[in-house]
Amino acid sequence: MASSTDAGEQVPTSSMLMGAAKHIGTRCRGENLAFLKCKKDDPNPEKCLDKGRQVTQCVLHLLRDLHQNCGKEMDAYGGCMYYHTNEFEFCRKEQKDFEKACPL
């Protein structure tokens, strides 16, 4: 459920990001807070590009780890979310399986 860039990196779909949202919120919390603080403190978007890159790298590393540790469950959950246009209520079984295989 991800496409590739010219550099060969996987670009996560919205369904994968939605499915991993709890994990992203937990593992990348520090990076996200630093980015939001930067944006609040300085209205110049260029000043926060480095913090934004740190958030992106954190998320990409997390997704890579999740795929290695529970790829089958993650793909099933992401696939369900994709099929049902990111509506969690239709994917509770897949969500439960994913969260059991890769707990927070």
Side-chain angles (χ1 to χ4, degrees), residues 11-30:
V11 177
T13 61
S14 63
S15 56
M16 284 296 176
L17 293 171
M18 292 283 289
K22 290 181 184 178
H23 289 79
I24 292 168
T26 301
R27 191 189 256 172
C28 300
R29 186 176 195 278

Side-chain angles (χ1 to χ4, degrees), residues 50-92:
D50 193 47
K51 300 284 185 200
R53 284 186 197 95
Q54 291 173 12
V55 172
T56 301
Q57 287 304 310
C58 180
V59 171
L60 292 176
H61 284 107
L62 168 65
L63 292 175
R64 201 172 304 129
D65 290 348
L66 289 174
H67 189 69
Q68 288 176 353
N69 295 325
C70 48
K72 183 177 113 184
E73 294 85 1
M74 182 179 168
D75 287 344
Y77 186 29
C80 181
M81 292 288 286
Y82 180 80
Y83 182 79
H84 292 288
T85 321
N86 294 334
E87 294 289 336
F88 286 107
E89 65 215 44
F90 297 114
C91 301
R92 294 301 183 193

